[in-house]
Amino acid sequence: MTEAILLVGGKGTRLRPLTVNTPKPMVPAAGVPFLTHQLARARAAGVEHVVLATSYLAEVFEPYFGDGSALGLHLEYVTEEEPLGTGGAIRNVASRLRSAPGDPVLIFNGDILTGLDIPALLDVHRGSGADVSLHLTRVEDPRAFGLVPTDATGRVTAFLEKPQTPEEIVTDQVNAGAYVFRRSVIDTIPAGRPVSVERETFPDLLASGAHLQGMVDSTYWLDLGTPQAFVRGSADLVMGHAPSPAVPGPCGESLVLEGATVAPDAKLSGGTVVSPGAVIGAGARVHGSAVLPGAVVGEDAVVTDSYLGPRTRVGARTALTGAVIGDGADVGPDNELPAGARVWCEATLPAATLRFSPDQ
Ligand code: GTP
């Protein structure tokens, strides 16, 4: 049996306002809390026991997932009194693991959407005899990532901070946020203080001569840390570009969940999801967007690549592109917000005033 730790305690500051009332892993993607997709994929890979390392808004996880039996899992929850960072969070749940010292333990960041072949990563780990094995992915522009170069056998040779100059871009391989740790290695992480696994644990292990193995897997991978990425991830799940057994319906251009109301002449496309209690008005066009429970899109509104939080209202004829509308916010009719606009929870934007009159 393989067990897993999921890191779900981050504040998700880049994803605000979606994370004001909801921790990032509980923000819905394709109609269910994002974490559901990760848990379902872990289960499909043979994982049975998962420990969730919680911190920010920790209280919302257990009421939703309970003991995990609905997903065929045994779930446990461990909450940090103070956030311990990624490495500290891993160490903090060690006492809940049942694995023997030599056994592999899977660890996932709670904000990664990926088609990673989890059994293949376990095979690489076992086959190489590594202390830690890391999923690496290749990115076109590595400037925003820590780089992880490897030698010809896949052994990690360095952990490099975000490159500042072109010369520093020595590889396009980056840490993809999924690891296999030998159980005994987890016990060596310092307890009771914040530790970053990326900045402290991995470089320290490397410096001490430990064997860290990289596995480059270039299947679907997206870090859902920003609103744009989150909206894209949800749409990719709906369209079936990102694999998940937890999408609550057949994959296609749109997913309309039971209890949603869509006007017959409204157009939904690009992986749009419409949640229970949401209403899409006549003539509205919604592309690549997530419309959460109770949200209302007015007549002839045009919503593109946007996230409409629970109970939000988008007025008639309003146009949104790449927008994030926080819970309960109200964008009045005839508005055209700048691309990428974020509207805070419960905010009210009045109807746009007439911008020109016909005789001008
Ligand atoms: P930003 O604030 O937007 O950077 O997001 P974040 O707080 O989620 O940080 P980041 O994306 O770097 O976190 C990577 C993963 O580690 C996410 O799944 C987080 O939930 C998790 N994580 C980050 N810090 C902590 C922590 O202190 N405790 C726990 N339990 N998890 C954490």
Side-chain angles (χ1 to χ4, degrees), residues 7-14 24 53 80 83-86 89 109-111:
L7 301 175
V8 293
K11 288 204 172 80
T13 47
R14 288 168 297 155
K24 182 163 50 175
E80 294 144 41
L84 290 172
T86 45
N109 279 357
D111 53 1

Side-chain angles (χ1 to χ4, degrees), residues 290-314:
V291 183
L292 265 68
V296 177
V297 175
E299 284 179 26
D300 296 318
V302 182
V303 178
T304 308
D305 300 337
S306 297
Y307 200 99
L308 310 184
R311 300 175 290 102
T312 51
R313 303 186 85 80
V314 175

Side-chain angles (χ1 to χ4, degrees), residues 5-16 19 23-25 34 38 52-56 61 78-80 82-90 92-93 108-112 177 179 194-195 197-199 223-226:
I5 300 170
L6 258 102
L7 301 175
V8 293
K11 288 204 172 80
T13 47
R14 288 168 297 155
L15 210 52
R16 286 179 191 159
T19 47
K24 182 163 50 175
F34 174 67
Q38 285 190 311
L52 295 179
T54 67
S55 173
Y56 177 66
F61 292 92
V78 178
T79 302
E80 294 144 41
E82 294 294 327
L84 290 172
T86 45
I90 296 168
N92 193 50
V93 306
F108 299 112
N109 279 357
D111 53 1
I112 299 296
Y179 322 111
V195 178
V197 77
E198 302 87 354
R199 287 191 296 278
D223 172 352
L224 301 190
T226 63

